[in-house]
Amino acid sequence: MRDMIGYCGLDCEKCDAYLATIHDDQALREKTAKLWAKLNNAPILPEHINCEGCRVDGAKTVYCESLCAIRQCALKKGMATCGGCQELDQCQAVGMVLSANPEALTNLRD
């Protein structure tokens, strides 16, 4: 599995936080911060939008680093991704991601 597939199966290379980071794109950081702040009803600022992928060394957004329950669970279980977890089909946390992003399940199964 590619390192840029997140624990939940999302492709980090398609994430606006990742794209803003690798391209040092301040306009994309601002757009992403505004959208994520609205979606999460949280004070997310452009300077919070720096991430190099959730399964690789390097910068992570605050959410991905310490608030993502999926990432924390996988780390606790020592899983490379949720794809290797016996509870995948019953997991409500990753289920929310998979229901909105069918490609994520394909990524986990590959």
Side-chain angles (χ1 to χ4, degrees):
M1 176 172 294
R2 292 188 357 249
D3 287 343
M4 295 308 292
I5 298 300
Y7 293 99
C8 64
L10 291 176
D11 187 340
C12 293
E13 290 177 315
K14 295 179 180 178
C15 175
D16 285 342
Y18 174 79
L19 293 170
T21 302
I22 64 163
H23 296 296
D24 195 20
D25 185 334
Q26 189 61 25
L28 184 55
R29 277 190 186 95
E30 291 170 8
K31 176 184 170 189
T32 303
K34 184 176 181 180
L35 174 63
W36 289 9
K38 181 179 178 182
L39 290 174
N40 295 289
N41 194 29
I44 299 172
L45 304 173
E47 54 266 27
H48 298 147
I49 306 299
N50 288 293
C51 192
E52 297 175 75
C54 75
R55 293 193 319 123
V56 298
D57 290 335
K60 302 197 184 348
T61 66
V62 172
Y63 179 81
C64 293
E65 178 69 35
S66 57
L67 300 175
C68 177
I70 296 168
R71 182 175 186 272
Q72 295 305 313
C73 180
L75 289 171
K76 180 179 169 185
K77 291 181 177 182
M79 307 298 278
T81 69
C82 295
C85 184
Q86 293 179 347
E87 300 171 30
L88 175 65
D89 294 332
Q90 296 83 32
C91 180
Q92 291 181 357
V94 79
M96 291 178 19
V97 172
L98 300 178
S99 67
N101 301 279
E103 180 183 328
L105 182 59
T106 301
N107 291 337
L108 291 176
R109 299 272 191 229
D110 286 347

